[in-house]
Amino acid sequence: MLVIAGIVAGAIWGGYLARRRKGNRLDILQYAASSAIAFGLLTYFISVVLLRIFFKKGFETAPT
């Protein structure tokens, strides 16, 4: 869920940034895509770290 939100936020931010810099339609698309990928990867790694921190006790014992 966090990753999808990161992708959407990255696409919006990239599109806004390209539009503010007076880019044409392809510039806006490229900025939106690259920012969506970057934000998606960032939120993916953050979610992995958060899961490892909050659910550490569940991974310590192996089922018998």
Side-chain angles (χ1 to χ4, degrees):
M1 188 72 170
L2 279 176
V3 178
I4 295 171
I7 289 171
V8 171
I12 292 170
W13 176 255
Y16 168 74
L17 192 64
R19 184 179 291 271
R20 194 176 72 184
R21 293 181 180 181
K22 307 272 192 246
N24 61 15
R25 188 175 295 170
L26 290 176
D27 290 333
I28 295 170
L29 183 63
Q30 183 179 4
Y31 269 70
S34 62
S35 295
I37 291 169
F39 276 53
L41 282 173
L42 181 67
T43 55
Y44 174 74
F45 287 123
I46 288 172
S47 66
V48 168
V49 169
L50 288 175
L51 284 172
R52 298 281 296 193
I53 289 171
F54 289 123
F55 296 107
K56 186 175 181 182
K57 292 190 179 198
F59 296 119
E60 288 177 355
T61 59
T64 57

